[in-house]
Amino acid sequence: MRSKAADRIMSETGKGHVAVVGGGLVGPLLAVMMSRAGYDVDVYERRPDLRKTTISGGRSINLALAERGIYALASAGLIERVKPLLIPMAGRLLHPLGQATEFTPYGQWPGEVIFSASRSILNQVLLAAADESPRVRLFFEHECVGIDVQHQTLQIREPSSKQITHVNYERVIGTDGANSAVRSAIVAAGGGEWRHEPLHHDYKELTIPAGSSGTHLMMRDALHIWPRHGFMLIALPNLDGSFTVTLFLNKEGTPSFAELTDATSVNRFFDEYFPDAKGLVPDLADEFFRNPTGALGTVRCSCWSAGERALLLGDAAHGVVPFHGQGMNAGFEDCREWMEVLESTNHNWHEAIEQFTIRRIPQANAIADLALENYVTMRDSVLDPHFQLKRQIGFVLERRFRDRFIPLYSMVMFHHEIPYATARRRGQIQDQILDQLTAHIDRLEDVDWPLAEQLVVRTLSQLPIESVTLGDFAASAV
């Protein structure tokens, strides 16, 4: 626990006390937002203070900050603090096996980029922002091991003493990740059900270090992908000149993690599938076995609350696989939308929770599905000429009908005003249009553009597109 000179400011105008369980990315951002709205917030985090300790490597999966997350950070007044941490990535640099690399942009308008960010450094910045508020208290190495929803009590274990302390709360919000104790308590109290859908692929992190002069050894402003039809390697740039590399591979079968049992098998595997990457990873086998193998999966929860006293946000409510880069962005969007609903209901928690969960649960399920679908796109489809032709046509249609046709990836990453579920539904319709237009052609010059216009106007309603907020930010962050 940390102390403050004046402790907490207990104001008559305060709106009450909230316990936030989980001090990862979502918890501190939520604490900042709620403290500014007049709530007193206690944040309980099982890990030590990341600003004072170094976490073990191998489990970060570098973050891709996109417009939904940027918009939420801006609404909390934190975007200028975050900007120095970011590296813009304008597209994918594909590394086909035995062929030259190929760059494919994410979008076609100014500012349509995503940003590589270090999870730990971003977490430190958000914790520092929360720590500055006199209404926020941070409790590190305080693990929530259970909740009595009926009696509004947290069971907190401190590793130093191993003792469990019972802490009363007025309201609790769980931002404690995919293994959420708050979610377990809500479900046990009769709040619906949840399930974990494991992906039959695991991941392993590696590092491409910086060059001798601290420069990046590959193209800096891109997300690197080695797609291999069923599995893949990716690399995201870091500010220190290094790249965080992640291998996504089957648990079992051929090839799989189960086959990579010693240095010989690891080196042979990289020689066969990722020869250009292997030469950039010193001591490949040593790092491979030193870093843990991480599991992947989707968390779906049918109920995010227990009355008006307990609520879930972020991965605790909707853990997703990382292949659309939206886990953090969706969690930050949760915070922003929760505060909007809370304000619009004049802080009536019963009404706010009801409105919020009706609004957000369909969006959570949609981005979970989109993330799974994008794994297939990243590891397989990006090398398919038919997929590339459809993508080219999609860009042309976006230029001609920008208020109706926006590529699915762009809707998800660059348009916070388009809900995930709307993006997925429209993406399916757009894919049907593109399939019809490319049924008997293999060149952009052969597209039947009058038919394309007819299909777009007939099947896609107009979108309430806001001015792109990302463009100015991206230009200033580069």
Side-chain angles (χ1 to χ4, degrees):
M1 183 176 72
R2 60 132 174 102
S3 61
K4 292 183 176 180
D7 198 11
R8 178 190 305 254
I9 292 179
M10 299 300 292
S11 169
E12 293 182 359
T13 61
K15 293 186 174 64
H17 170 253
V18 178
V20 173
V21 177
L25 295 167
V26 173
L29 177 60
L30 179 66
V32 169
M33 291 179 168
M34 297 208 70
S35 65
R36 290 182 179 179
Y39 290 91
D40 297 304
V41 185
D42 287 345
V43 180
Y44 295 92
E45 169 55 42
R46 64 180 178 82
R47 298 171 300 173
D49 188 343
L50 293 180
R51 296 167 296 172
K52 301 176 182 178
T53 59
T54 301
I55 61 172
S56 58
R59 289 195 183 276
S60 66
I61 303 187
N62 269 40
L63 303 169
L65 181 65
E67 196 200 346
R68 294 173 196 271
I70 290 170
Y71 193 63
L73 290 167
S75 71
L78 299 179
I79 195 59
E80 291 302 318
R81 297 191 188 197
V82 171
K83 189 184 296 185
L85 313 179
L86 307 177
I87 296 177
M89 300 182 294
R92 305 181 179 108
L93 189 71
L94 304 180
H95 296 251
L97 187 60
Q99 302 176 37
T101 57
E102 178 184 351
F103 179 78
T104 60
Y106 285 129
Q108 61 180 328
W109 307 107
E112 289 194 336
V113 300
I114 60 177
F115 296 87
S116 177
S118 163
R119 180 187 298 271
S120 60
I121 296 176
L122 179 56
N123 203 163
Q124 292 170 29
V125 169
L126 294 176
L127 287 170
D131 207 6
E132 291 173 5
S133 171
R135 288 192 178 276
V136 176
R137 296 191 299 183
L138 303 177
F139 296 86
F140 297 103
E141 298 185 83
H142 280 59
E143 181 181 8
C144 179
V145 295
I147 300 176
D148 185 334
V149 174
Q150 182 179 359
H151 296 96
Q152 297 173 232
T153 304
L154 303 178
Q155 299 167 26
I156 301 295
R157 180 170 60 203
E158 300 181 43
S160 58
S161 65
K162 303 297 183 183
Q163 294 182 342
I164 293 180
T165 302
H166 292 80
V167 178
N168 294 327
Y169 66 84
E170 184 177 349
R171 295 184 174 92
V172 62
I173 298 179
T175 61
D176 48 340
N179 298 314
S180 170
V182 181
R183 184 185 62 233
S184 296
I186 287 175
V187 171
E193 60 182 11
W194 77 279
R195 68 179 185 272
H196 176 255
E197 302 168 359
L199 190 68
H200 298 299
H201 289 218
D202 287 341
Y203 72 92
K204 175 81 71 172
E205 285 194 357
L206 303 166
T207 305
I208 294 176
S212 57
S213 60
T215 57
H216 292 84
L217 296 179
M218 302 186 297
M219 181 177 178
R220 176 181 183 268
D221 300 328
L223 189 154
H224 294 256
I225 305 179
W226 291 257
R228 294 298 182 262
H229 298 292
F231 61 100
M232 68 178 182
L233 192 74
I234 69 170
L236 278 76
N238 298 310
L239 290 173
D240 64 0
S242 67
F243 286 85
T244 298
V245 182
T246 309
L247 171 65
F248 298 98
L249 181 65
N250 279 293
K251 297 174 184 284
E252 306 285 344
T254 300
S256 70
F257 279 111
E259 296 180 326
L260 305 180
T261 57
D262 54 27
T264 299
S265 59
V266 169
N267 282 301
R268 185 169 56 240
F269 172 76
F270 274 80
D271 280 334
E272 181 176 357
Y273 293 108
F274 310 112
D276 60 330
K278 183 191 176 192
L280 299 175
V281 182
D283 303 319
L284 169 64
D286 288 344
E287 187 177 17
F288 187 93
F289 291 109
R290 184 170 62 249
N291 288 345
T293 302
L296 298 165
T298 301
V299 171
R300 300 182 195 264
C301 190
S302 64
C303 180
W304 294 5
S305 64
E308 63 177 76
R309 300 294 177 178
L311 177 65
L312 302 174
L313 297 183
D315 285 353
H318 51 76
V320 300
V321 293
F323 305 116
H324 223 309
Q326 284 293 295
M328 170 188 66
N329 291 283
F332 286 179
E333 189 173 66
D334 282 348
C335 296
R336 179 183 63 78
E337 293 208 6
W338 164 244
M339 296 310 300
E340 287 181 357
V341 171
L342 199 56
E343 294 286 348
S344 69
T345 59
N346 196 27
H347 298 268
N348 180 324
W349 278 63
H350 177 79
E351 185 178 349
I353 287 177
E354 182 177 10
Q355 289 187 21
F356 175 75
T357 53
I358 289 173
R359 176 192 297 188
R360 288 302 288 173
I361 290 178
Q363 311 312 322
N365 289 328
I367 190 54
D369 293 333
L370 286 165
L372 290 166
E373 293 162 5
N374 205 50
Y375 187 26
V376 178
T377 298
M378 293 177 71
R379 74 190 193 202
D380 297 340
S381 303
V382 289
L383 296 177
D384 180 4
H386 184 68
F387 173 86
Q388 294 175 351
L389 175 61
K390 289 169 62 176
R391 187 173 179 276
Q392 291 176 329
I393 297 171
F395 275 177
V396 174
L397 292 178
E398 183 183 22
R399 291 194 294 270
R400 294 187 179 189
F401 309 100
R402 194 173 181 184
D403 63 340
R404 291 180 186 267
F405 192 106
I406 300 175
L408 175 59
Y409 187 88
S410 296
M411 283 192 284
V412 172
M413 304 301 281
F414 307 132
H415 289 276
H416 71 268
E417 73 280 4
I418 302 178
Y420 288 125
T422 300
R424 185 165 188 259
R425 183 171 61 253
R426 292 180 73 95
Q428 291 169 339
I429 296 172
Q430 292 176 177
D431 199 52
Q432 292 170 3
I433 292 173
L434 294 173
D435 281 338
Q436 186 170 343
L437 294 174
T438 58
H440 305 293
I441 65 170
D442 56 14
R443 301 188 312 159
L444 185 64
E445 293 80 5
D446 296 329
V447 174
D448 185 341
W449 294 113
L451 174 61
E453 179 176 2
Q454 177 185 347
L455 292 173
V456 169
V457 173
R458 187 179 69 198
T459 61
L460 294 171
S461 60
Q462 289 185 311
L463 284 164
I465 301 301
E466 297 183 10
S467 59
V468 178
T469 60
L470 190 58
D472 293 339
F473 170 80
S476 63
V478 173

